[in-house]
């Protein structure tokens, strides 16, 4: 169960921005969504796995995909912290 509140999500969105298309971050790493750094695997395959669905990130993400990716990223970080 994710414990990311709406206020927490809003803070992350404010800090990282909301991007449907991949962009180079300040270190020139390709990033998409709300601060999701594309992994080597994602760069090589051209796909993200969001809730067990393969999404071609080069086509851009929907708003729903961005939010689901944020929740997915936050839950993996929360699990690591716990």
């Amino acid at each position: 169960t994710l414990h990311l509140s709406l206020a927490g999500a809003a803070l992350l969105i404010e800090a990282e921005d909301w991007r449907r298309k991949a962009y180079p971050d300040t270190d020139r790493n390709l990033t998409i969504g709300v601060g999701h750094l594309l992994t080597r695997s994602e760069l090589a395959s051209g796909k993200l796995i969001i809730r067990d669905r393969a999404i071609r990130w080069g086509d851009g993400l929907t708003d729903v995909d961005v939010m689901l990716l944020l929740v997915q990223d936050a839950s993996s970080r929360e699990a690591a912290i716990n």
Side-chain angles (χ1 to χ4, degrees):
T1 305
L2 176 67
H3 297 98
L4 179 66
S5 67
L6 289 175
L11 283 172
L12 288 171
I13 292 165
E14 182 179 329
E16 294 289 339
D17 208 1
W18 178 284
R19 302 278 188 102
R20 291 177 199 87
K21 297 270 188 180
Y23 65 97
D25 67 8
T26 56
D27 293 326
R28 299 184 194 266
N29 297 304
L30 275 183
T31 305
I32 197 165
V34 181
H36 178 86
L37 182 65
L38 291 166
T39 66
R40 287 183 185 190
S41 173
E42 292 165 345
L43 289 167
S45 70
K47 296 178 184 173
L48 285 164
I49 303 299
I50 302 174
R51 298 187 81 190
D52 298 323
R53 286 184 318 131
I55 309 275
R56 289 177 42 88
W57 58 263
D59 295 336
L61 303 178
T62 67
D63 286 341
V64 171
D65 290 335
V66 171
M67 184 53 81
L68 290 174
L69 183 59
L70 172 59
V71 168
Q72 182 173 289
D73 286 348
S75 65
S76 68
R77 301 315 187 279
E78 180 181 32
I81 291 168
N82 288 336

